[in-house]
């Protein structure tokens, strides 16, 4: 049984730095020569990450 459901509350984070890194990675993937399917998957994941970062900020 999990006693502390708020496990992330004490973890240091820099939301702006995380958002910047995710956006940079998104641009890198969008401009890459990856196979289309792989590119679409990575773009979807990164957009979800960016949306989640924005929701918690």
């Amino acid at each position: 049984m999990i006693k502390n459901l708020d496990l992330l509350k004490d973890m240091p984070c820099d939301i702006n730095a995380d958002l910047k890194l995710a956006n940079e990675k998104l641009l890198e993937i969008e401009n890459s020569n990856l196979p289309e399917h792989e590119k679409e998957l990575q773009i979807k994941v990164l957009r979800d990450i960016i949306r989640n970062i924005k929701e918690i900020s």
Side-chain angles (χ1 to χ4, degrees), residues 20-37:
K20 180 181 177 189
L21 180 62
N23 277 308
E24 288 172 354
K25 188 66 177 173
L26 179 61
L27 287 173
E28 180 183 317
I29 296 300
E30 287 176 337
N31 295 322
S32 73
N33 293 327
L34 288 172
E36 199 61 34
H37 177 71

Side-chain angles (χ1 to χ4, degrees), residues 1-53:
M1 175 183 256
I2 298 175
K3 294 183 179 185
N4 185 358
L5 295 177
D6 196 6
L7 297 173
L8 299 176
K9 72 177 183 180
D10 295 326
M11 290 189 67
C13 68
D14 183 344
I15 291 174
N16 291 328
D18 293 343
L19 192 55
K20 180 181 177 189
L21 180 62
N23 277 308
E24 288 172 354
K25 188 66 177 173
L26 179 61
L27 287 173
E28 180 183 317
I29 296 300
E30 287 176 337
N31 295 322
S32 73
N33 293 327
L34 288 172
E36 199 61 34
H37 177 71
E38 181 70 21
K39 189 185 238 184
E40 288 175 5
L41 178 62
Q42 289 190 27
I43 288 171
K44 181 189 179 313
V45 169
L46 284 164
R47 286 185 177 151
D48 288 345
I49 290 170
I50 291 167
R51 187 189 75 245
N52 290 336
I53 292 171

